[in-house]
Amino acid sequence: MCIRDRLMVKFYDSHTKKFLNKIRRDGGKLLFPENILKLTWNGEYLGVIHKKAYSILNPSDEEEKELCNLNSTLYPGMAVYEDLWLVLDDDSVSLYTRVGKSMNWRAEMAESSKVDPIVSMLVMDNYLLLFRESKVGVYNISNLKKIHEIGFERGTYRDAAVAGDDIILVMDVKSKKGNSIVKSSALSYMRKVPVEDQIEYFLATSQVPQARELFVQNYSKLSDYSVRRELFEIDAGWAFIVKLEFEEALVCFSGRNFDPRDLLTLVPEVLDSEYRQERYITLQMLVASKDVEESKKMEEGIDMIIKLVSKQHKNLIESHNERLNDKITFVWPSLPMNDFFKGKENTLREILFVIETGLIRLYLIKGDACGLRELADSVNELCIDYKELEIDLERQARAEPGKDILQVCQAILHEKQGNYEQALAIWKQYIISVNKTILDLARKSMVDLLRNKVQEKKVIQDYARRIIVLNPDEAVHIFANNPNFSQIMTEDEVYHYLSKKEEHVQRVKEKYLEYLVNRPDTEERFFTFLGMHYLDKVEEAKKMEEDKAKEDAKENSEFLSRKYREVLRTFLKNYDMYSAQTLLERIKKLDLFEEENLIHSKAKNHSMVLNNYINREKDELEVKFTMAENYCLEQSEPLLDILFEKVLELYTSKRISYLIKEKELTSHKGPGAPPTTETEVNSIKECMTRYESYCKKFLTRYASNEKMDAVKAIQLIPPEWNVINTKDKKDDLLFSYLVLALNDRISKCANIDIARRISEAEKLELEEKHAKLKKPYVMLTGNNRCRVCNGLLSVKAFCVYPNGEVTHMTVSYTHLTLPT
């Protein structure tokens, strides 16, 4: 115990009831330079307030540390919270660590000390109480924010002390005694409010952070914490709604088992008539009570209600699997905004009736067509009163003509009731709407209805035509990706329906045929139809390209031509079921060289492909021969021999032509000479020479290639070709080829011989190993026993195995497994 005595502090032992005998400086008394005003003890250090400053003292070593000066503080005070010192500095509170280090943190108490100064302070649990003469302020000690204030009506505050859950106050009280006023002192009590009541008070006053901190501190270690937390978060959500802090409310309600109907009571006009009450506190009331932009806050509030109710609606449907007669119970909070539904146990059908009716009307208020669509698609059946809603929609339509969202809602309700033609009639009005959201929704809804719901062929054809014109990419889904659609319209009927020449119809036909060819059971003719369609597109692009007058369309036509030729080539590569003959006839008319070769190649008609390459007149000799070579190398079959033979045929043809023309030129001269000229003969000779040069280079290039048969190639070499050109050493290509071919042949023969010798060596090695196994001999005595039957062996007949084991001869016949 520390006792203050003017300029000294005496340490008193409360157990022995004596002052300590241990001498500290002046016989157990610690001297200070100024008068001591107050003492505070934190269990280790002594806090001392004297005339000029705040100090702390370590009694064990009598070391004093000054915290700060008193300055102009009228009523200095110190308090301890955990390992912190709280110091009053005028009308501010400063914090210091246990050992007196400043935390450089001050909290202004927001009132002037001259008007009503802080007289003293106390720490109680997690609260800091700052006493003034006329009132006491309660602060959250974690952030020193005021959470409550209590005024003193009976007198003026002088001092206070904590006694358990109570605070004892010393008050100056004035009373009348006769004609005079008498001042006296009196004791008063303040009792700590129970934690539950404190939390309820904080939530009722929308002080959610303080309530949450108090809740966690007191209940986090209890076994039923999760149940209490569920209730608390729902209450906190309502507190945030009162403050119009909708994002925070959304977080609190999310994942909680709250009754979504309670939220709908905030907008009672969306409820069915039997659930509307005049006593409801509404969102409109809450917004009007605050100084905010009303329309914006109303919109935010409705968005929050829609999000929470929609999510709870989805959870109810999923958790009960649409078992509409299940009884449902929610967690109801202690502080509901409106308690009309509290404690009532209803079936899922009854609850969904309120939720779905409310959501539809909320979406109408907001004008959210997509929300209506999403709600309708989320359930197989809407639990609503269709007739009452339709009457309500008609009434609103008369009051607000031209409001699109009402017609959209009407169309969706018709869909859910199976009135598909009525729904289509409404959607048809909006497939060219200026509102893009409604336009997209109308087109998508029409496609879904025609594809999955409508069973009448004529209705499908009538409405599909409108979608085809406006959005071909969406229209194709009416006919495709639905295996049951063939029961309404066969593939041939759809193809005939899409056979018109209009561009948008052709686009849908293309998409439909692409869908068909990717199905496993599609007939061959549809593959051919698709190939012919691509060829039609290529032909159209080529015609546009040839029209030189339309310069603006020329670039686009070239792009389309390249695009559809690429698509056609991909189609020809990936599929085999088309009629190749039908497509080839059309391809040849359009002079589509690559596509023609692709079909021949897939049919393994390589000879025709090579003919096309080497006889192509548009390309130079080197170019077309190079393309032919590349094609040969790409194929798995050995085609280089065939190419060489075909080039030799060209060479031979030119040589014969050259010899004939040369003979005509030399034997017929004069006035009656044939039209053959020397220039023509030279031209033929030059071409022949080029063929010969190419053939020799070709042989040299592929002398060692596995796809080239050297023996066959040598047999085809024309006899007139010189092996060695004595005039031009650079023209010794044939000689070079023969050398390379011979070396390759020798190398291959040598490799074959080496492989044969290695095989023979391995065989000899294996035979030697077996011979060694046969060498072991055995010595028989009278004690030798059979390895299998363990009987004594006779010297007349026995069997010896390569591993040295010996058995009876009969055993060796009857046992197939060698002894080990």
Side-chain angles (χ1 to χ4, degrees):
M1 181 182 294
C2 306
I3 301 176
R4 172 172 61 88
D5 182 13
R6 292 191 67 210
L7 298 179
M8 64 192 71
V9 177
K10 299 179 181 179
F11 292 92
Y12 183 76
D13 190 335
S14 58
H15 297 288
T16 61
K17 298 182 180 179
K18 295 180 180 179
F19 284 98
L20 297 177
N21 295 325
K22 185 176 180 179
I23 298 175
R24 291 187 180 87
R25 295 172 69 177
D26 187 12
K29 303 175 182 177
L30 301 175
L31 302 180
F32 289 87
E34 300 292 341
N35 287 345
I36 299 171
L37 302 178
K38 289 185 179 180
L39 296 176
T40 306
W41 177 252
N42 73 350
E44 183 179 1
Y45 289 87
L46 178 67
V48 181
I49 306 175
H50 51 82
K51 190 173 182 179
K52 291 187 177 180
Y54 292 97
S55 299
I56 61 171
L57 175 70
N58 188 343
S60 61
D61 56 12
E62 303 175 1
E63 180 181 353
E64 178 193 358
K65 182 173 182 179
E66 185 176 299
L67 302 181
C68 63
N69 294 326
L70 287 183
N71 297 325
S72 58
T73 305
L74 297 177
Y75 300 96
M78 290 183 78
V80 177
Y81 176 70
E82 295 180 353
D83 58 349
L84 297 176
W85 293 99
L86 285 76
V87 173
L88 276 179
D89 185 4
D90 200 4
D91 245 27
S92 302
V93 174
S94 299
L95 297 182
Y96 294 85
T97 63
R98 175 179 57 84
V99 295
K101 184 177 179 181
S102 174
M103 297 183 67
N104 297 319
W105 194 86
R106 288 166 59 91
E108 301 290 338
M109 297 298 111
E111 293 189 36
S112 171
S113 58
K114 295 180 180 179
V115 177
D116 194 1
I118 297 174
V119 178
S120 67
M121 66 177 173
L122 288 175
V123 173
M124 186 176 187
D125 294 338
N126 300 304
Y127 303 110
L128 172 65
L129 285 73
L130 295 182
F131 293 91
R132 301 177 188 271
E133 291 186 348
S134 61
K135 58 191 174 184
V136 57
V138 182
Y139 296 81
N140 187 333
I141 203 165
S142 63
N143 53 24
L144 293 185
K145 288 185 178 180
K146 183 186 286 188
I147 55 178
H148 191 45
E149 189 173 82
I150 304 171
F152 300 135
E153 298 178 358
R154 297 182 55 195
T156 303
Y157 170 84
R158 281 293 170 259
D159 204 352
V162 177
D165 287 343
D166 295 334
I167 298 176
I168 303 174
L169 303 176
V170 179
M171 310 287 293
D172 285 347
V173 181
K174 293 180 181 181
S175 59
K176 277 190 177 183
K177 193 173 183 180
N179 295 327
S180 59
I181 302 296
V182 178
K183 290 185 178 180
S184 61
S185 295
L187 295 179
S188 182
Y189 289 86
M190 293 176 64
R191 175 153 292 175
K192 176 184 175 183
V193 176
V195 173
E196 293 85 353
D197 295 340
Q198 292 183 53
I199 293 173
E200 186 173 335
Y201 168 78
F202 286 136
L203 291 174
T205 55
S206 298
Q207 301 182 66
V208 179
Q210 292 87 338
R212 180 174 281 111
E213 184 177 354
L214 193 62
F215 176 83
V216 172
Q217 289 172 349
N218 288 275
Y219 298 125
S220 60
K221 295 182 180 179
L222 298 181
S223 59
D224 61 344
Y225 174 72
S226 59
V227 177
R228 292 174 179 267
R229 176 72 183 274
E230 180 100 356
L231 287 166
F232 174 83
E233 291 298 339
I234 296 174
D235 278 332
W238 284 109
F240 278 124
I241 289 176
V242 172
K243 292 177 69 177
L244 305 184
E245 295 179 3
F246 300 118
E247 288 296 327
E248 288 78 3
L250 192 63
V251 174
C252 290
F253 278 112
S254 295
R256 309 299 171 190
N257 185 28
F258 66 93
D259 190 341
R261 296 173 296 178
D262 288 343
L263 286 171
L264 292 174
T265 61
L266 292 173
V267 193
E269 58 267 27
V270 305
L271 294 172
D272 200 63
S273 55
E274 65 175 299
Y275 300 114
R276 295 177 188 172
Q277 301 285 326
E278 293 184 359
R279 62 186 178 85
Y280 285 155
I281 297 173
T282 67
L283 183 63
Q284 183 70 48
M285 293 179 186
L286 295 174
V287 172
S289 67
K290 302 287 193 301
D291 185 17
V292 294
E293 187 179 341
E294 190 168 330
S295 61
K296 182 180 178 182
K297 278 297 176 183
M298 281 295 296
E299 185 178 346
E300 290 176 2
I302 288 175
D303 284 344
M304 176 210 67
I305 294 172
I306 289 175
K307 287 178 183 177
L308 289 173
V309 175
S310 298
K311 190 170 183 180
Q312 199 71 337
H313 175 262
K314 181 181 178 182
N315 293 339
L316 286 170
I317 296 295
E318 291 177 351
S319 59
H320 294 273
N321 197 22
E322 297 195 23
R323 297 188 299 273
L324 299 178
N325 294 321
D326 283 4
K327 294 286 186 179
I328 307 297
T329 303
F330 297 103
V331 174
W332 282 283
S334 58
L335 298 172
M337 186 69 68
N338 302 306
D339 59 355
F340 180 82
F341 296 101
K342 185 174 182 179
K344 296 179 181 178
E345 188 180 78
N346 299 111
T347 64
L348 178 61
R349 184 186 297 277
E350 293 168 335
I351 293 170
L352 291 181
F353 172 78
V354 178
I355 293 175
E356 291 173 355
T357 303
L359 279 173
I360 288 172
R361 288 175 171 153
L362 282 172
Y363 287 130
L364 290 175
I365 292 172
K366 190 182 175 185
D368 187 356
C370 293
L372 286 169
R373 176 84 273 168
E374 186 177 347
L375 174 63
D377 292 343
S378 65
V379 292
N380 294 324
E381 175 190 355
L382 284 172
C383 299
I384 60 175
D385 188 336
Y386 286 98
K387 187 174 181 180
E388 182 179 346
L389 265 178
E390 287 173 1
I391 293 172
D392 193 20
L393 289 172
E394 290 173 3
R395 184 174 60 251
Q396 291 187 56
R398 287 193 298 270
E400 301 177 78
K403 192 172 182 180
D404 294 339
I405 190 65
L406 300 176
Q407 289 295 309
V408 169
C409 184
Q410 188 73 268
I412 292 174
L413 292 181
H414 280 312
E415 287 182 25
K416 298 303 288 185
Q417 296 177 86
N419 303 325
Y420 303 128
E421 288 196 49
Q422 291 92 322
L424 286 169
I426 296 174
W427 289 127
K428 182 181 68 175
Q429 303 171 31
Y430 293 100
I431 57 177
I432 53 173
S433 173
V434 294
N435 186 322
K436 189 177 185 308
T437 301
I438 294 180
L439 180 145
D440 292 341
L441 184 61
R443 293 179 179 179
K444 184 178 181 300
S445 299
M446 285 189 71
V447 169
D448 289 342
L449 286 174
L450 296 173
R451 179 171 174 262
N452 300 314
K453 302 294 184 182
V454 180
Q455 300 295 316
E456 295 79 15
K457 184 191 303 184
K458 188 176 183 306
V459 175
I460 293 173
Q461 291 176 345
D462 290 344
Y463 284 100
R465 189 170 291 111
R466 300 174 184 274
I467 302 296
I468 289 171
V469 173
L470 297 170
N471 193 344
D473 291 337
E474 280 290 329
V476 72
H477 295 298
I478 298 173
F479 312 103
N481 302 315
N482 184 1
N484 298 322
F485 191 80
S486 59
Q487 300 174 7
I488 305 170
M489 291 181 70
T490 65
E491 289 87 352
D492 289 297
E493 287 177 323
V494 175
Y495 181 76
H496 177 72
Y497 176 73
L498 299 174
S499 295
K500 294 185 179 180
K501 295 297 183 182
E502 288 89 346
E503 183 179 349
H504 45 268
V505 179
Q506 290 296 304
R507 187 171 175 184
V508 176
K509 182 175 77 171
E510 178 183 322
K511 297 290 184 183
Y512 178 67
L513 289 173
E514 288 175 346
Y515 154 73
L516 287 182
V517 300
N518 284 300
R519 290 195 328 187
D521 56 345
T522 301
E523 298 178 19
E524 179 183 312
R525 65 180 185 281
F526 291 106
F527 289 85
T528 307
F529 289 159
L530 181 56
M532 294 297 286
H533 171 79
Y534 290 144
L535 288 169
D536 289 338
K537 288 296 182 182
V538 174
E539 185 176 9
E540 289 176 15
K542 286 173 115 13
K543 286 180 179 178
M544 289 174 61
E545 193 174 346
E546 291 168 0
D547 190 354
K548 303 297 183 181
K550 297 180 180 179
E551 290 296 332
D552 56 334
K554 187 172 185 300
E555 183 177 349
N556 186 47
S557 65
E558 291 175 353
F559 167 75
L560 288 174
S561 179
R562 289 195 302 271
K563 171 190 170 184
Y564 275 102
R565 288 194 66 179
E566 183 63 36
V567 171
L568 177 60
R569 285 193 291 269
T570 303
F571 168 76
L572 295 174
K573 288 178 183 177
N574 295 339
Y575 301 99
D576 299 306
M577 291 183 65
Y578 49 80
S579 172
Q581 187 61 36
T582 304
L583 295 183
L584 269 175
E585 291 175 3
R586 187 74 182 282
I587 285 171
K588 288 179 179 179
K589 289 180 182 178
L590 294 174
D591 191 23
L592 302 179
F593 176 73
E594 295 178 15
E595 289 76 1
E596 181 183 352
N597 286 341
L598 186 55
I599 292 179
H600 286 309
S601 178
K602 289 198 72 174
K604 301 298 181 182
N605 193 358
H606 302 300
S607 179
M608 182 63 74
V609 176
L610 295 176
N611 282 337
N612 288 342
Y613 276 122
I614 63 178
N615 293 317
R616 185 173 170 82
E617 296 179 357
K618 292 183 179 181
D619 297 323
E620 294 291 332
L621 184 143
E622 293 294 335
V623 174
K624 60 187 181 182
F625 284 176
T626 301
M627 292 195 310
E629 287 180 36
N630 292 335
Y631 175 78
C632 293
L633 295 173
E634 290 170 0
Q635 305 307 312
S636 58
E637 297 89 340
L639 302 179
L640 290 174
D641 293 335
I642 300 174
L643 176 60
F644 178 64
E645 189 173 350
K646 289 185 176 297
V647 178
L648 277 180
E649 288 175 2
L650 291 177
Y651 164 80
T652 304
S653 174
K654 286 294 180 182
R655 176 174 171 74
I656 293 171
S657 177
Y658 165 72
L659 293 175
I660 293 171
K661 293 293 183 181
E662 186 182 34
K663 185 176 181 180
E664 289 178 356
L665 184 64
T666 54
S667 60
H668 298 84
K669 291 186 178 181
T676 303
T677 62
E678 189 174 350
T679 304
E680 183 180 355
V681 173
N682 291 336
S683 176
I684 296 173
K685 182 180 180 182
E686 181 184 355
C687 185
M688 180 188 69
T689 306
R690 290 175 64 191
Y691 283 141
E692 180 183 349
S693 176
Y694 170 77
C695 287
K696 292 178 179 179
K697 291 178 181 178
F698 178 86
L699 289 171
T700 307
R701 192 156 48 242
Y702 298 109
S704 303
N705 195 294
E706 294 180 354
K707 294 184 178 182
M708 186 75 179
D709 188 344
V711 175
K712 185 177 179 180
I714 291 172
Q715 291 173 349
L716 293 173
I717 294 175
E720 65 270 13
W721 288 0
N722 294 322
V723 175
I724 299 177
N725 192 337
T726 55
K727 296 180 179 179
D728 186 2
K729 295 295 183 181
K730 295 180 180 180
D731 194 28
D732 286 344
L733 294 174
L734 188 56
F735 177 75
S736 300
Y737 163 70
L738 293 173
V739 171
L740 291 171
L742 181 61
N743 290 337
D744 183 61
R745 188 71 176 176
I746 292 172
S747 176
K748 288 179 179 177
C749 291
N751 290 337
I752 292 172
D753 186 56
I754 291 170
R756 181 179 58 78
R757 290 177 181 277
I758 291 174
S759 177
E760 290 177 354
E762 290 177 350
K763 182 180 179 182
L764 289 172
E765 184 178 353
L766 185 61
E767 289 177 353
E768 182 184 8
K769 184 177 179 182
H770 289 167
K772 288 180 178 179
L773 290 174
K774 295 177 181 178
K775 283 184 178 180
Y777 61 92
V778 294
M779 181 179 293
L780 294 178
T781 63
N783 296 325
N784 290 87
R785 292 183 177 274
C786 174
R787 178 71 172 79
V788 177
C789 69
N790 203 32
L792 291 173
L793 290 171
S794 169
V795 297
K796 295 181 180 179
F798 55 88
C799 185
V800 180
Y801 288 90
N803 61 357
E805 298 292 347
V806 185
T807 68
H808 285 116
M809 184 68 75
T810 55
V811 171
S812 68
Y813 291 137
T814 56
H815 288 72
L816 301 178
T817 305
L818 294 177
T820 57

